[in-house]
Amino acid sequence: MRKNKYKKGSYTVEAAFILPMILFSMIAVIYLSFFIHNKIILSKEAYISALRISQCMGKPTDREVEIEEQDAKVRVKNRILACDQVESNYSLNNKKIQISYHMIFRLAKGIIPVKVLNTDVWDFYVGKEVQVFQPVEFIRTCKKLGL
């Protein structure tokens, strides 16, 4: 039997081609999971804040909105991963509350090639809208309907 003396180094050459692709895909999955995690957290916090403000007795005041905005900033700050900045915008009408978050998510420059993605920044907006709940009107409507 004849042994092939060149077979020993073939595994090293194959690993040199495959390993960078595996590492790049693993890092891309990690960054994508951070991005999706942050988007879900901001969406949830926007809805919770809008719901809490809408359930204030009577028409929500600017002070109640400001208190909820500060509480939401504390809740969001402790949960966001790998993010530079989060900006919130609260707007209050007579019948609706609109809350939106804008997040800027920067990618590591040395790890993921910027030329592949054409940018090193992912930013997105998350917004929720809730109608103001008027408990007195709700109870009166229920009594009219006989509920």
Side-chain angles (χ1 to χ4, degrees):
M1 288 212 164
R2 190 172 152 192
K3 292 185 179 179
N4 191 352
K5 63 180 180 180
Y6 297 108
K7 195 171 184 179
K8 286 183 180 180
S10 66
Y11 295 120
T12 307
V13 173
E14 290 173 5
F17 285 115
I18 294 175
L19 190 64
M21 290 187 288
I22 292 172
L23 287 176
F24 175 74
S25 61
M26 285 176 51
I27 291 170
V29 166
I30 290 170
Y31 269 97
L32 186 62
S33 64
F34 284 169
F35 182 76
I36 292 171
H37 173 267
N38 290 345
K39 189 170 183 176
I40 289 170
I41 293 295
L42 289 180
S43 178
K44 183 184 94 167
E45 287 298 329
Y47 183 73
I48 288 172
S49 295
L51 194 61
R52 284 183 179 176
I53 293 171
S54 73
Q55 293 179 347
C56 295
M57 291 298 290
K59 184 182 178 209
T61 63
D62 291 335
R63 178 72 179 141
E64 291 169 336
V65 172
E66 185 179 321
I67 290 171
E68 181 57 37
E69 186 175 2
Q70 294 299 325
D71 290 344
K73 282 182 182 178
V74 171
R75 288 190 310 264
V76 166
K77 182 181 178 184
N78 295 333
R79 293 184 178 168
I80 295 295
L81 302 172
C83 180
D84 280 351
Q85 59 185 3
V86 177
E87 299 171 359
S88 61
N89 184 18
Y90 286 65
S91 67
L92 178 64
N93 296 341
N94 288 336
K95 295 189 177 193
K96 291 185 182 178
I97 297 165
Q98 296 174 338
I99 298 176
S100 63
Y101 285 102
H102 175 236
M103 184 181 87
I104 297 175
F105 187 78
R106 295 197 186 277
L107 302 173
K109 291 184 180 180
I111 297 174
I112 297 178
V114 177
K115 292 179 182 177
V116 173
L117 300 174
N118 294 331
T119 183
D120 65 340
V121 175
W122 290 345
D123 64 332
F124 67 90
Y125 294 92
V126 174
K128 295 293 177 184
E129 180 177 284
V130 175
Q131 291 184 351
V132 176
F133 180 71
Q134 299 292 337
V136 175
E137 292 177 15
F138 178 74
I139 292 171
R140 287 180 183 162
T141 306
C142 288
K143 284 185 178 181
K144 285 179 187 176
L145 296 174
L147 299 176

